[in-house]
Amino acid sequence: MKQQIAKAVAKVAERNTEGWLAEGSEAIWQRFADGVTGWIRAGRRDDLEGWRAALGPVVRLVLVGAVGYGVWALVRRFPWLLWLLLAGLIAAAWKATHKHPAEDVDEPVEDVDEPAEDELAEQTLEERRAAAEKAFVEYVVASIGEAKGVHLSTLAEGLDRPGYLPGWGVAEVRAQLGALNIPCRRSVKVRNAAGEWAVAWGVHRDDIPALNTPTPAEDGEAAA
């Protein structure tokens, strides 16, 4: 069984190592890192001060380290587990880069009149897909607003809720942006969901035609 898994993994990896495998692995890592760091930060107590307020994140960081050590110990004790982990990573990378948006989900735009049932019945699959893609672009534009861009994690948080696109994360957002030919930049410096300045993967306003105009801050600098 171990040899079969190894051969399957090697065969898939040789097909397109620099394509979907690399992109999907990066998306998975970004999603995992955002989730872990967000969980650690959520442990901070706003009702406490000093070291007591930071005790929660420290404890959670220790727990993450303990889980990582446990996984390492298991792989060291049972090396064949590494092949299963690798096969799971490749499968997740494929899913992250080949997942298409659902056409029948609610559009992520508020205060929009819903079409009648007969109108929906008359719409073709391409029309529904085009409407969903348009709604997604409008959501990205609205999320950027007057800023220079928006982080992928912020977009994912806004979509991962009932009535929108439950279960969507950074990987799905990145895949949808790629399907719409909207590039993702590695270092986008904007305020995150917590209102703090951060640099992370995101979408820059210059890469969206509808927002390809100077930001207010840049207009002021040009006038000066």
Side-chain angles (χ1 to χ4, degrees):
M1 179 178 179
K2 181 174 66 175
Q3 293 179 351
Q4 294 178 351
I5 295 176
K7 290 180 179 179
V9 170
K11 185 176 181 181
V12 174
E14 289 175 358
R15 291 181 180 177
N16 197 355
T17 305
E18 299 300 329
W20 61 264
L21 182 57
E23 182 180 350
S25 299
E26 188 174 12
I28 294 171
W29 169 251
Q30 182 67 35
R31 185 176 184 179
F32 173 78
D34 290 343
V36 172
T37 55
W39 181 72
I40 293 175
R41 291 176 181 174
R44 184 175 180 84
R45 296 281 298 276
D46 295 333
D47 57 334
L48 299 177
E49 297 180 356
W51 64 270
R52 293 183 178 86
L55 185 60
V58 172
V59 173
R60 295 192 178 192
L61 182 61
V62 172
L63 290 176
V64 171
V67 172
Y69 176 80
V71 173
W72 173 81
L74 284 175
V75 172
R76 186 178 181 183
R77 178 66 177 82
F78 306 102
W80 56 268
L81 288 176
L82 184 61
W83 295 108
L84 294 179
L85 293 175
L86 183 58
L89 175 62
I90 293 178
W94 173 270
K95 182 179 179 181
T97 53
H98 291 77
K99 184 175 182 179
H100 298 286
E103 290 90 3
D104 298 329
V105 296
D106 294 336
E107 297 179 354
V109 178
E110 298 180 356
D111 300 332
V112 177
D113 295 334
E114 296 182 357
E117 294 183 0
D118 55 347
E119 295 179 359
L120 288 175
E122 294 177 357
Q123 288 182 341
T124 64
L125 177 61
E126 292 298 329
E127 290 175 340
R128 291 198 301 270
R129 179 177 300 172
E133 292 177 350
K134 179 182 178 181
F136 183 84
V137 174
E138 291 176 350
Y139 168 70
V140 175
V141 170
S143 300
I144 293 177
E146 298 296 329
K148 292 185 177 181
V150 62
H151 291 154
L152 299 184
S153 58
T154 302
L155 293 174
E157 290 177 5
L159 293 173
D160 186 15
R161 52 176 174 166
Y164 288 72
L165 295 172
W168 269 45
V170 173
E172 289 75 17
V173 171
R174 184 194 297 270
Q176 176 61 28
L177 290 169
L180 297 175
N181 295 322
I182 299 177
C184 299
R185 299 193 184 186
R186 181 184 299 271
S187 301
V188 176
K189 183 178 181 181
V190 293
R191 294 186 182 275
N192 55 23
E196 302 175 351
W197 286 101
V199 178
W201 277 94
V203 178
H204 198 278
R205 68 182 299 116
D206 291 345
D207 297 325
I208 300 181
L211 294 176
N212 196 8
T213 57
T215 61
E218 293 172 345
D219 285 338
E221 293 176 358

